[in-house]
Amino acid sequence: MMDQYAASMRRYVQYMLYVVALFVLGWGFTPYDSMFLGLILGSAFSFYNLWSMYTKMKQLGQAATGEKKVYSIGTLSRFAVGALAAIIAIRYPETFHLVGVIIGLMLTYIIILIDSLLQIRRL
């Protein structure tokens, strides 16, 4: 079962890197610098949240088999990371577009949803 989670995580990371590469191209070749920088900032924090969620799921799997104890799944830390990204965007509005940061923060969840729908369709 953990192999399936690892494979899913690899796909999510791959998709995230593709989308962030598109954001970097958008930042470099369009006049919407602050929007794409906001998307990149939000995506970076979203990527951290994805990694954090994966490690917590691994710990939860180990706890289910009796190898380790787990006390939480890290929801508070993911909210704190999102708040930090929003604070950075509010502090530097000329550099980071707040809506772009929020969309970037949601990128992981959008990728997980789309990948899940694609996996259901393949079955």
Side-chain angles (χ1 to χ4, degrees):
M1 192 65 154
M2 288 308 287
D3 294 334
Q4 184 180 4
Y5 290 131
S8 295
M9 177 66 173
R10 270 187 249 114
R11 279 194 317 272
Y12 301 153
V13 168
Q14 187 178 26
Y15 297 152
M16 287 277 295
L17 291 175
Y18 290 148
V19 173
V20 170
L22 289 174
F23 292 161
V24 169
L25 288 173
W27 170 61
F29 294 110
T30 66
Y32 305 108
D33 291 347
S34 66
M35 182 63 164
F36 281 105
L37 281 175
L39 287 166
I40 292 168
L41 178 70
S43 298
F45 281 98
S46 182
F47 185 76
Y48 172 77
N49 281 341
L50 175 65
W51 173 78
S52 172
M53 189 168 44
Y54 174 69
T55 56
K56 291 295 183 177
M57 289 303 291
K58 267 180 37 177
Q59 290 173 357
L60 186 64
Q62 291 172 348
T65 60
E67 297 174 22
K68 229 181 195 185
K69 288 187 178 183
V70 68
Y71 297 104
S72 77
I73 55 171
T75 304
L76 184 62
S77 66
R78 287 195 303 272
F79 283 149
V81 166
L84 178 63
I87 289 169
I88 291 171
I90 291 169
R91 174 74 174 96
Y92 301 103
E94 67 280 352
T95 306
F96 303 107
H97 197 272
L98 182 61
V99 174
V101 171
I102 293 169
I103 293 169
L105 281 170
M106 296 306 298
L107 184 63
T108 295
Y109 304 105
I110 294 167
I111 286 174
I112 290 172
L113 175 68
I114 291 171
D115 183 64
S116 299
L117 292 174
L118 289 174
Q119 293 301 318
I120 290 171
R121 187 172 177 164
R122 286 183 193 155
L123 295 176

